[in-house]
């Protein structure tokens, strides 16, 4: 319950703060753009089952893959167009929000961690 509340607070409210600091004059428009980046979750339609509370979406869904995340990082850094840059920031923050949710789930479910892509990525850094 608390986990879900924090997750959606980050997805909807925290991005309001990002919008405010990104463009104080047009923060409402920036906020709407950031909310629109939630559409990245459209990639969940390819998953079976569609929703699984024990599954970590990071690295699992195509638009949440390591390649996609790398693209969001690069886009947020190098893109000069203010609107497109904001979209990349929104996508990156979305991944951060999902990651927090994954870590929270892992703290209660070790199997969830072991079955996740994050576990595979962490194994790359061992040895
Ligand atoms: Zn997501």
């Amino acid at each position: 319950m608390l986990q879900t509340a924090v997750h959606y607070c980050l997805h909807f409210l925290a991005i309001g703060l990002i919008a405010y600091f990104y463009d104080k004059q047009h923060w409402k428009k920036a906020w709407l753009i950031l909310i629109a980046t939630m559409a990245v979750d459209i990639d969940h339609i390819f998953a079976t089952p569609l929703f699984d509370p024990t599954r970590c979406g990071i690295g699992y869904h195509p638009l949440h893959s390591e390649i996609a995340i790398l693209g969001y990082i690069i886009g947020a850094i190098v893109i000069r167009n203010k609107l497109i840059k904001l979209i990349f920031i929104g996508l990156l923050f979305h991944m951060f929000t999902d990651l927090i949710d994954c870590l929270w789930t892992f703290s209660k479910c070790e199997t969830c961690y072991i079955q996740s892509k994050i576990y595979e990525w962490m194994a790359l850094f061992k040895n």
Side-chain angles (χ1 to χ4, degrees):
M1 179 62 201
L2 178 65
Q3 184 179 352
T4 306
V6 168
H7 185 68
Y8 286 100
C9 272
L10 287 171
H11 267 323
F12 288 99
L13 300 180
I15 59 172
L17 277 176
I18 295 173
Y20 179 76
F21 288 109
Y22 189 76
D23 188 344
K24 285 179 181 140
Q25 275 191 318
H26 307 101
W27 69 272
K28 285 179 190 167
K29 183 184 165 200
W31 193 4
L32 288 176
I33 290 164
L34 288 175
I35 286 173
T37 63
M38 284 276 290
V40 73
D41 279 341
I42 192 78
D43 63 357
H44 291 37
I45 61 171
F46 301 114
T48 313
L50 200 63
F51 178 72
D52 178 356
T54 65
R55 180 179 60 214
C56 174
I58 299 293
Y60 184 85
H61 304 295
L63 297 174
H64 293 61
S65 65
E66 57 269 53
I67 297 295
I69 294 169
L70 187 65
Y72 305 150
I73 292 170
I74 292 168
I77 294 169
V78 304
I79 300 254
R80 296 245 182 246
N81 179 290
K82 214 174 169 190
L83 174 71
I84 297 171
K85 188 182 198 72
L86 182 63
I87 292 170
F88 278 107
I89 290 170
L91 291 168
L92 198 54
F93 189 74
H94 180 104
M95 298 305 136
F96 173 73
T97 300
D98 283 3
L99 177 65
I100 299 277
D101 201 50
C102 289
L103 296 177
W104 201 321
T105 300
F106 297 162
S107 74
K108 297 178 290 189
C109 170
E110 196 182 349
T111 313
C112 302
Y113 174 54
I114 292 166
Q115 291 173 342
S116 74
K117 267 284 183 191
I118 292 172
Y119 181 78
E120 280 180 38
W121 297 342
M122 294 311 285
L124 293 175
F125 293 104
K126 287 181 184 164
N127 303 322

